[in-house]
Amino acid sequence: MKTLFPPYAHPSPGVPLDGDTWIVRDVPGERRSLHQSLGRIDLDWGSRSLADVLADVDAWREDGAEGLFLDRAPAGSGGVGPVALTVRLAARRGLHRVVLNPGVPTHPLYRDLGVRICTFEGPWSSYQSWDGDGSRPGDGHLVHGVPTPLLTAARRLMGRRGAGFGVATDASPYVSAGSYAGGAGSADS
C-alpha cells in the first residue's frame, strides 16, 4: 500500500520516507525536502473558477511539483467536466500524477480520468463503521483522529479494506502543514 501524506497530516520528523511516499504541499515555494511532492489545489467542491484552478496548476508546475492533489473535489456527475479539463491541462504541463480527493465515492465517470481517487476522508470514528460502498480496491483512504494506541490497527483495517494508498494519523485534519503533525504514518504497517 502506498503512502500519501495530505496537508493536514504531514509526516513527523521520525517517520521514514521511502520511494513510494508522496508529500502533499499546501503552498508553492515551501518545499521542505527533495522528496516527491504533490501540490494541493482546493477545488472547493467544484465552486472555484476554472481560471483560478488553472492559475494554481501553473504555479505548481513552476514550483517543480511532480503532480497535483485536487482536494475537496466534487463527486457528482456535474463536476466531471471541470475536473477532467483540469486533469488534461495538468498533464499538458507535465503534471501527470494526479490524486482526486472528494473524500467519498465518486460518480463512475471519474474512473475514466485515469487518476487516483480518495474515496474516504474522515475521522476514525466514522471509518470504523464505513461500509465502503462505492469504493474500489486501490482507492485512497485518509483517516484522522485515530487514538495513538490504535494507529497500527487502523492501518491494518485500511489494508483489509483494499486501500491502495492513504494515511492513518492521530492528528486532526486542521493541523497546519507547517506544524508537522505527529503520528502520521504509512498504511503499510
Side-chain angles (χ1 to χ4, degrees):
M1 185 178 320
K2 307 271 191 251
T3 304
L4 176 76
F5 291 107
Y8 46 78
H10 276 282
S12 62
V15 174
L17 303 179
D18 61 26
D20 291 332
T21 301
W22 289 78
I23 295 176
V24 178
R25 295 187 296 130
D26 280 325
V27 181
E30 293 188 353
R31 195 166 197 130
R32 290 191 178 86
S33 73
L34 299 176
H35 208 75
Q36 312 172 108
S37 68
L38 302 175
R40 178 182 177 268
I41 297 178
D42 184 355
L43 298 181
D44 197 16
W45 313 116
S47 69
R48 285 192 67 210
S49 76
L50 191 55
D52 288 344
V53 170
L54 295 181
D56 286 352
V57 170
D58 286 335
W60 283 114
R61 178 187 52 119
E62 291 171 16
D63 178 74
E66 290 84 2
L68 300 174
F69 182 79
L70 302 178
D71 202 11
R72 298 192 327 147
S77 62
V80 173
V83 170
L85 183 58
T86 300
V87 170
R88 280 195 306 271
L89 292 174
R92 286 185 191 152
R93 286 161 170 81
L95 300 167
H96 299 284
R97 180 176 289 266
V98 176
V99 176
L100 186 68
N101 182 30
V104 297
T106 61
H107 187 280
L109 288 172
Y110 286 94
R111 299 290 177 175
D112 296 335
L113 299 179
V115 299
R116 309 287 304 265
I117 300 174
C118 293
T119 54
F120 181 89
E121 179 180 9
W124 171 240
S125 57
S126 297
Y127 191 67
Q128 292 176 86
S129 60
W130 182 55
D131 63 11
D133 268 356
S135 184
R136 292 186 184 173
D139 286 349
H141 301 175
L142 308 177
V143 185
H144 57 78
V146 180
T148 303
L150 298 178
L151 283 169
T152 299
R155 293 175 189 132
R156 287 184 180 139
L157 180 58
M158 291 170 70
R160 286 192 304 274
R161 290 186 172 171
F165 64 101
V167 66
T169 178
D170 57 1
S172 159
Y174 307 108
V175 173
S176 73
S179 68
Y180 271 81
S186 77
D188 10 285
S189 297

